[in-house]
Every structure is written in C-alpha cells, then in structure tokens.
Amino acid sequence: MINQTKENLQEDLTTENIPEHFLRRAWMEKNKITNVILAKRFALTPARVSYIIRSGECPQKYINILRKEFKMPDSLLPTRSREKSGPKPKRKTDFNSHIK
C-alpha cells in the first residue's frame, strides 16, 4: 500500500472488498444487536455466536431467527451449515443374552 492515491484508497473501500462478516457486524451495531442478545435467543454462548457471525455458517433454525425476529437482510444472513445429529439412542439389550 505504498504511494496510494486518494482515489485508489476509495476503490479499496467498496463493499465488494469488505469481508461479509464485517458487514454483518456493522449491521448488528447499527441495530444495537450484540452477541449476548443473540446468544440468549439462540441458547448459545456469546463466543459461539461470534463464531457464527465470523464464519458465516449456522444451522437453519438460527438463520430463521435472524431473518424473522431480527430482520437481518438476506444478503447478510449466514449460509446454512450441516446440522449435527444429536446423541444416538442406546439400544436396549437383553440382559440375559450376555449370560451363558
């Protein structure tokens, strides 16, 4: 960035060059939405919310909340990530089958 003119600096600051997570953060600040507010609504930690905002990926249920309740523009919404399945139910085993 040596010897850049004022015009070149302006070109570097277009929204095309700004990372999406910065745009999400700016929108959140403008709307007075914090990680703590989202964490309470999502039932997550603020650190996890920060990761979601930064990475731009989260489960669909959080995207729906951001869209419907917080009115986040579609252009800023995170993309849908693969949802991990919960714990698998333990199989019932016949107690007597292990005894010989």
Side-chain angles (χ1 to χ4, degrees):
M1 298 194 131
I2 299 172
N3 297 330
Q4 283 197 336
T5 64
K6 195 174 193 179
E7 292 79 25
N8 288 346
L9 287 173
Q10 288 292 335
E11 289 173 14
D12 287 345
L13 295 177
T14 63
T15 55
E16 295 168 0
N17 298 330
I18 298 174
E20 222 174 85
H21 66 278
F22 284 141
L23 298 175
R24 267 191 289 280
R25 284 275 178 227
W27 180 87
M28 287 172 62
E29 268 189 47
K30 179 182 172 197
N31 291 282
K32 297 178 174 60
I33 299 170
T34 65
N35 285 350
V36 174
I37 290 169
L38 291 179
K40 286 179 183 175
R41 179 58 188 93
F42 294 167
L44 298 172
T45 64
R48 184 68 183 150
V49 170
S50 181
Y51 176 78
I52 288 171
I53 298 301
R54 217 175 334 104
S55 70
E57 289 185 348
C58 65
Q60 186 65 47
K61 63 184 174 183
Y62 303 136
I63 295 169
N64 293 341
I65 292 169
L66 289 169
R67 178 185 288 125
K68 293 174 185 169
E69 295 180 27
F70 292 96
K71 308 293 187 228
M72 182 179 271
D74 287 344
S75 61
L76 298 178
L77 288 171
T79 57
R80 183 177 181 207
S81 65
R82 183 180 74 80
E83 293 189 40
K84 295 177 182 167
S85 60
K88 295 185 173 143
K90 294 183 179 183
R91 291 183 5 193
K92 291 183 180 180
T93 57
D94 184 353
F95 179 74
N96 293 329
S97 66
H98 297 300
I99 301 172
K100 291 186 180 182

